[in-house]
């Protein structure tokens, strides 16, 4: 009671008296409980040495009394000391776990696992941390107290956020907030609000982050706890930076630093110093900014927490670059990237948890690219950009190609490999093998970088003054599908006479050419090849470069054949899957029977798709197998995909950004159970084993999906994992009749001996000419309609992977 009333001196006297009494009668459990109370009292006072000693004696007493559960509990409590390293704490938690594991103390097991997970998170061992926290979750949710469940949800949310999954993190943080609000505990509510704010900030929703940070400070002040208040002030200051309120940030951060000597403030002080440094930078006080970020780095180094140190180094590199200290900025950015590589190697061995990590580190890599490009190191900047691209995808492909690789089961796709980032020599070797110039892009918050790399190994970089927001808007304007004809999406649009050719070229296509191609035009003109490899980034994944229009009114496809990949490093894996033996066996799937649809999507019959695969079957002869209508069941498709040189799907494609593994190709349903429901989902595609040299997805938006730092997460990724070296897919809705025309011409050119990239270019040029000459006619309720030339009708097709 005295402790609860904050009479710590009186409480200590009573505990000492109780301890003497228990010792006099050798009551081991009484001694253990009293030592535990003394440990809690010492923790409250910030006396970490006494805290550890008291809990250690409690553990010894309980152990002598033969009570492993209480002994384990004392050991766990000991690890909350802020003066104990993470490695020391984990060693003690392992002892506690060994004590309780045989005896079924489920709630205590959950609490130990929770603390273990938190300590692993601090160390930067994210995968192991998540494993412990997930194991703790059912135990604490079922048996724990409400606030224990709230704190665990907060820890799980942090683990998801540190894996680069802020949406999932927000779900956990809102759960923690709801529990905390029901409890009425102001300190717990302040902590939960703080965690929600951090998740919103990670999602880029800064207004909501600022609102929750302000609410967190209000409850923190209500708790009266100075450290909780300081944490909330620091968070609010960080988010005020995003709206340029530098003077307020300086005032807030300085007030929070009044409690900087409290041991619980060690990590928070790092972020407060970073906020102060950024605010000083914002108001032009460069010397003060340097001083603060220097302190932040020194403090972070002492903490031995790699993520915290990486961010401190990132901002010191920023300040140094603003002071024109290129050497210092290069050193700091290199150290920061090395720390992110270390963290990457600890991620959970599941593809889902690796995908978002690239987004988490984009700012660090953008600054490193900027510093290297500014210093004239074009090749070094390119290596850094490639180090940040599609690393999860490369881990996944390496896992697939390793012996005994596990397949996707129950929504969990194993990603056991941890592939080293490609070196400059690796990258140049890929470009030399492809024998074509490469254009690689990096879209930063304020500017865009373009690398032009020749097969001979020459690397040039251009910096373009265009930000991510502008490119996002231009990409949307340039990728509007055909709104006037039947498509292979969620239903037919009413057909109408197409507009004249001159009006169908969006101004965005010219703007994008000026921004993305013209700066490197001289490099392209110096090469004799007509092929170009494109490595997009960010919003550029939604752009069909073939449709970009130069000053003379020519499409880029009229000059070059194109193919794409999310990273140069991906070609190290796709190249191993190239067969190059021609098409001796093809599986052609089209126009499934959709009469048994159970979904809400309105999927119309596709007469053009049916004719499309019949055209292909005539070309490839006896080795072709056609599945049309009721024959095109999901079960039959899955049984026939193996051993084919070509897989062609001419059907509806439904892509979900919210649930990428649920994206699917529509097939005929032969039952309601998974595997026969008429949906070949991305998750099911990962489980296929194919040997096709090319997969054609002649369906709407089959090459689209959620854009991440790892590239596009959708249907195509699954086919590459399943073994395909090349996928021909679409970026937007696909017009039914023009698609048939294009695919007929594509196969003719490919069979004549051209590469896949050259065949696609030739077929797109054929369609452009036919449209310009008025030779493409579609049937509508109003009679035959002649289509006018528009990139919407031909530019959707892109070749991904090997050319």
């Amino acid at each position: 009671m005295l402790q609860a009333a904050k009479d710590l001196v009186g409480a200590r006297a009573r505990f000492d008296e109780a301890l003497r009494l228990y010792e006099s009668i050798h009551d081991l459990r009484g001694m253990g409980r009293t030592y535990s109370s003394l440990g809690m009292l010492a923790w409250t006072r910030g006396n970490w040495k006494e805290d550890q000693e008291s809990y250690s004696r409690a553990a010894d007493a309980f152990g002598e009394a033969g009570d492993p559960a209480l002994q384990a509990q004392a050991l766990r409590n000991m690890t909350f000391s802020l003066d104990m390293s993470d490695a020391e704490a984990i060693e003690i938690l392992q002892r506690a776990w060994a004590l309780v594991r045989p005896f079924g103390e489920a709630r205590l097991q959950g609490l130990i696992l929770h603390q273990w997970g938190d300590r692993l998170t601090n160390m930067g061992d994210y995968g192991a941390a998540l494993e412990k926290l997930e194991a703790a979750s059912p135990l604490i949710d079922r048996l724990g107290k409400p606030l224990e469940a709230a704190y665990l949800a907060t820890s799980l949310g942090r683990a998801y956020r540190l894996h680069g999954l802020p949406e999932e993190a927000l779900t956990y943080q809102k759960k923690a907030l709801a529990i905390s609000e029901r409890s009425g505990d102001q300190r717990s509510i302040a902590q939960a609000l703080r965690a929600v704010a951090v998740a919103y900030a990670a999602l880029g929703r800064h207004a909501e982050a600022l609102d929750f940070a302000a609410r967190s400070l209000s409850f923190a002040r209500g708790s009266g706890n100075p450290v909780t208040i300081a944490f909330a002030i620091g968070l609010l200051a960080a988010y005020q930076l995003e709206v340029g309120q530098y003077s307020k940030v300086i005032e807030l951060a300085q007030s929070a630093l009044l409690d900087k000597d409290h041991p619980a403030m060690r990590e928070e002080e790092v972020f407060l110093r970073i906020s102060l440094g950024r605010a000083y930078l914002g108001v032009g006080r460069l010397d003060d900014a340097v001083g603060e970020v220097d302190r932040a780095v020194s403090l972070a180094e002492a903490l031995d927490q790699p993520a915290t140190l990486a961010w401190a180094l990132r901002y010191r590199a920023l300040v140094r670059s603003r002071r024109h200290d290129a050497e210092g900025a290069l050193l700091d950015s290199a150290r920061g990237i090395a720390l992110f590589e270390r963290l990457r190697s600890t991620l959970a061995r599941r593809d889902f948890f690796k995908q978002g990590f690239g987004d988490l580190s984009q700012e660090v890599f953008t600054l490193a690219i900027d510093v290297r490009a500014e210093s004239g190191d074009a090749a070094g900047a390119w290596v850094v950009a490639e180090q940040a691209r599609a690393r999860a995808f490369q881990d996944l492909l390496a896992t697939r190609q390793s012996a005994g690789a596990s397949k996707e089961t129950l929504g969990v796709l194993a990603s056991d490999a941890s592939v080293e980032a490609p070196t400059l020599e690796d990258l140049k070797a890929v470009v030399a093998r492809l024998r074509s110039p490469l254009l690689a892009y990096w879209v930063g918050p304020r500017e865009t970088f373009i690398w032009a790399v020749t097969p001979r190994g020459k690397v040039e970089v251009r910096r373009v003054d265009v930000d991510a927001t502008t490119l996002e808007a231009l990409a949307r304007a340039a990728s509007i599908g055909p709104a006037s004809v039947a498509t292979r999406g969620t239903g037919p649009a009413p057909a109408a006479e197409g507009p004249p050719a001159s009006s169908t070229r969006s101004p965005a296509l010219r703007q994008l050419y000026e921004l993305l191609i013209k700066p490197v035009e001289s490099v392209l003109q110096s090469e004799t090849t007509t092929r170009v490899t494109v490595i997009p980034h960010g919003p550029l994944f939604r752009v069909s470069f073939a449709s970009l229009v130069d000053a003379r009114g020519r499409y880029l496809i009229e000059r070059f054949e194109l193919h794409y990949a999310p990273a140069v490093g991906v070609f190290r894996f796709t190249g191993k899957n190239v067969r190059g033996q021609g098409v001796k066996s093809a599986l052609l799937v089209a126009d499934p029977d959709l009469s048994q649809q159970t979904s809400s999507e309105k999927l119309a019959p596709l007469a053009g798709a049916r004719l499309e695969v019949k055209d292909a079957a005539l070309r490839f002869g006896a080795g072709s197998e056609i599945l049309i209508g009721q024959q095109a069941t999901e079960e039959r498709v899955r049984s026939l995909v193996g051993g084919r040189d070509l897989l062609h799907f001419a059907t509806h494609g439904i892509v979900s950004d919210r649930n990428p593994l649920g994206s699917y190709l529509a097939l005929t349903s032969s039952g309601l159970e998974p595997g026969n429901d008429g949906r070949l989902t991305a998750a099911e595609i990962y489980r296929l084993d194919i040997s096709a040299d090319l997969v054609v997805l002649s369906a709407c938006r089959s090459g689209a999906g959620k854009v991440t730092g790892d590239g596009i997460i959708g249907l195509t990724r699954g086919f590459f994992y399943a073994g395909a070296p090349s996928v021909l897919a679409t970026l937007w809705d696909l017009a039914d009749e023009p698609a048939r025309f294009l695919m007929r011409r594509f196969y003719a050119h490919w069979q004549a001996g051209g590469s896949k990239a050259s065949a696609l270019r030739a077929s797109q040029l054929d369609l452009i000419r036919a449209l310009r000459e008025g030779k493409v006619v579609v049937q509508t309720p109003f009679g035959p309609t002649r289509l006018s030339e528009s990139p919407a009708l031909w530019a959707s097709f892109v070749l991904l992977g090997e050319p």
Side-chain angles (χ1 to χ4, degrees), residues 431-442:
V431 179
R433 176 177 72 80
L434 294 173
R435 294 183 295 176
S436 57
L438 176 140
L439 299 182
Y441 295 84
W442 185 271

Side-chain angles (χ1 to χ4, degrees), residues 344-495:
R344 187 190 302 278
S345 70
T346 75
L347 298 176
R349 293 293 191 251
R350 285 170 271 173
D351 179 52
F352 176 70
F353 286 101
K354 291 184 176 184
Q355 288 173 15
F357 190 76
D359 292 331
L360 200 66
S361 55
Q362 293 288 291
E363 290 183 17
V364 174
F365 281 95
T366 297
L367 178 64
I369 290 166
D370 184 24
V371 171
R372 282 160 178 75
E374 184 68 24
S375 67
D377 184 7
W382 180 42
V383 171
V384 170
E386 286 299 322
Q387 192 172 356
R389 297 182 198 270
R391 294 293 296 284
F393 191 24
Q394 293 175 63
D395 282 356
L396 190 64
L397 294 175
T399 300
R400 173 65 174 82
Q401 291 181 0
S402 65
S406 57
K407 291 285 190 172
E408 191 273 346
T409 55
L410 300 177
V412 176
L413 186 60
S415 181
D416 297 324
S418 186
V419 178
E420 293 289 330
T423 64
L424 179 60
E425 290 71 25
D426 293 332
L427 297 172
K428 286 184 175 181
V430 169
V431 179
R433 176 177 72 80
L434 294 173
R435 294 183 295 176
S436 57
L438 176 140
L439 299 182
Y441 295 84
W442 185 271
V443 180
R446 289 171 294 278
E447 56 191 347
T448 296
F449 297 88
I450 311 172
W451 290 269
V453 186
T454 70
R456 296 182 303 280
K458 183 179 180 181
V459 183
E460 296 187 33
V461 64
R462 305 285 189 270
R463 187 193 306 260
V464 182
D465 187 19
V466 59
D467 57 46
T469 303
T470 300
L471 282 179
E472 181 73 48
L474 289 171
R476 281 197 304 270
S479 61
I480 299 173
S484 61
V485 293
T487 65
R488 298 177 187 178
T490 57

Side-chain angles (χ1 to χ4, degrees), residues 618-635:
L618 288 173
R619 181 162 298 281
F620 296 121
S624 301
E625 182 154 2
I626 300 178
L627 300 180
I628 293 177
Q630 291 186 350
Q631 294 179 319
T633 64
E634 182 181 351
E635 183 179 24

Side-chain angles (χ1 to χ4, degrees), residues 5 52 69 81 86 128 199 204 221 235 301 324 362 393 509 539 597 612 678 737 801:
Q52 292 181 51
S81 169
D86 294 314
R221 285 173 171 153
L235 188 74
E301 287 172 333
H324 307 292
Q362 293 288 291
F393 191 24
L509 298 176
Q597 291 179 37
E612 181 178 305
E737 289 292 341

Side-chain angles (χ1 to χ4, degrees), residues 329-345:
L330 281 169
L331 287 172
D332 280 345
S333 62
R335 284 183 67 194
I337 288 173
L339 287 166
F340 270 103
E341 284 296 302
R342 172 180 159 189
L343 292 170
R344 187 190 302 278
S345 70

